[in-house]
């Protein structure tokens, strides 16, 4: 399967715990995005990487959130001191490097439940 | 920032009928408009997209139209089938001024739940 993969698919945690999600983009896709989707809503942009550089962060990304993309390949999203409001589907998408091209391919998502 | 409105929020059609979903956007600089289909428990799947230099695009039973002047775009599904039942999202994005200046982040509508009744 050459699509975007995410791990884990589901995560249940207690409030105050830290969680980390992983995203493996489509091979050779230089651009990587994280989005968050709550029930009944469309995905909302969180952050963007071009290769290993994090070039843009949404105001939704509080200080408790951090994302990395070492070596420009896979990416991780960590949430510290989780809150019930963090419960959502976290989606990763990747896109080719052509500057004029913005087709984004999404992974299956990680569903986070904070108890 | 960009704001995308999507209507209707739910849509039920008989199998074989057509379905139309409409979206409006606010940022005149937006130039890329994709449509995604999301099935329960899965990530969004890109089904068709259109760029601002094109007014209409068709792929088999799916077509998208864009009216830049009015800032609205629509998805048309003909000869609907039960497997078309899903939530459909429209989105919009703009090209950053130069490479490395920022992202092509997508701004999504709130979705339309399409039910195709056999």
């Amino acid at each position: 399967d050459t699509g975007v993969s995410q791990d884990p698919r589901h995560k249940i945690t207690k409030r105050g715990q830290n969680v980390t999600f992983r995203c493996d983009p489509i091979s050779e896709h230089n651009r990587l995005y994280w989005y968050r989707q709550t029930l009944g809503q469309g995905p909302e942009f969180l952050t963007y990487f071009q290769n290993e550089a994090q070039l843009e962060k949404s105001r939704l990304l509080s200080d408790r959130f951090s994302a990395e993309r070492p070596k420009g390949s896979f990416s991780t999203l960590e949430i510290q001191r989780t809150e019930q409001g963090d419960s959502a589907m976290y989606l990763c998408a990747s896109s080719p490097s052509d500057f004029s091209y913005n087709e984004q391919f999404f992974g299956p998502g990680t569903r986070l439940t904070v108890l | 920032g960009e704001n995308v409105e999507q209507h209707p929020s739910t849509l039920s059609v008989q199998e074989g009928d057509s379905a139309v979903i409409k979206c409006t956007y606010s940022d005149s600089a937006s130039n890329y408009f994709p449509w995604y289909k999301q099935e329960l428990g899965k990530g969004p799947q890109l089904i068709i997209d259109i760029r601002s230099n094109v007014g209409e695009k068709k792929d088999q039973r799916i077509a998208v139209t864009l009216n830049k002047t009015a800032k609205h775009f629509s998805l048309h599904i003909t000869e609907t089938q039960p497997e078309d039942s899903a939530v459909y999202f429209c989105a919009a994005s703009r090209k950053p001024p130069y490479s490395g200046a920022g992202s092509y982040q997508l701004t999504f509508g709130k979705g339309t739940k399409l039910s195709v009744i056999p």
Side-chain angles (χ1 to χ4, degrees):
Chain A
D1 187 351
T2 57
V4 178
S5 62
Q6 292 187 245
D7 184 71
R9 295 292 308 279
H10 304 274
K11 179 70 177 179
I12 300 174
T13 190
K14 293 182 179 179
R15 188 178 57 180
Q17 298 295 305
N18 298 343
V19 294
T20 300
F21 310 140
R22 176 179 171 126
C23 169
D24 286 89
I26 293 171
S27 179
E28 298 181 354
H29 277 193
N30 289 4
R31 303 207 289 254
L32 186 147
Y33 300 78
W34 284 98
Y35 291 82
R36 181 174 72 184
Q37 184 178 27
T38 54
L39 202 60
Q41 301 294 317
E44 294 175 291
F45 170 76
L46 291 178
T47 191
Y48 160 70
F49 289 85
Q50 184 169 307
N51 298 310
E52 66 277 5
Q54 187 175 19
L55 295 184
E56 192 166 344
K57 292 193 286 187
S58 161
R59 284 173 294 178
L60 292 176
L61 213 65
S62 75
D63 292 345
R64 297 183 297 105
F65 288 69
S66 63
E68 295 182 341
R69 193 182 182 196
K71 302 179 182 178
S73 55
F74 71 92
S75 175
T76 59
L77 178 67
E78 181 183 15
I79 309 175
Q80 296 182 326
R81 305 181 303 281
T82 51
E83 302 174 354
Q84 289 185 326
D86 297 331
S87 295
M89 174 82 89
Y90 290 85
L91 294 162
C92 175
S94 71
S95 184
S97 58
D98 185 340
F99 179 51
S100 63
Y101 193 67
N102 188 32
E103 198 172 86
Q104 294 185 28
F105 299 90
F106 282 82
T110 295
R111 180 164 295 283
L112 172 66
T113 302
V114 181
L115 302 176
Chain B
E2 175 67 278
N3 182 51
V4 176
E5 300 282 343
Q6 182 171 348
H7 300 279
S9 56
T10 59
L11 179 60
S12 291
V13 299
Q14 290 292 133
E15 182 177 357
D17 287 350
S18 296
V20 180
I21 302 170
K22 299 182 178 182
C23 289
T24 60
Y25 62 98
S26 61
D27 187 350
S28 57
S30 288
N31 60 359
Y32 174 69
F33 307 92
W35 288 87
Y36 286 86
K37 175 183 180 182
Q38 188 173 30
E39 297 174 322
L40 199 61
K42 296 184 178 181
Q45 175 193 1
L46 180 66
I47 56 172
I48 195 168
D49 58 17
I50 191 166
R51 289 172 172 76
S52 59
N53 58 345
V54 175
E56 184 173 355
K57 184 177 179 180
K58 189 174 182 180
D59 182 5
Q60 299 182 354
R61 296 186 298 108
I62 293 174
V64 58
T65 59
L66 171 65
N67 183 327
K68 282 195 67 180
T69 302
K71 295 184 193 170
H72 66 71
F73 56 113
S74 302
L75 177 71
H76 304 251
I77 306 174
T78 59
E79 301 172 16
T80 53
Q81 301 167 2
E83 50 265 38
D84 294 330
S85 296
V87 179
Y88 291 81
F89 291 97
C90 62
S93 77
R94 61 186 295 180
K95 181 178 173 180
Y98 55 88
S99 180
S103 73
Y104 296 74
Q105 61 174 277
L106 295 171
T107 301
F108 285 83
K110 291 190 175 182
T112 296
K113 183 176 181 180
L114 174 64
S115 299
V116 179
I117 304 165

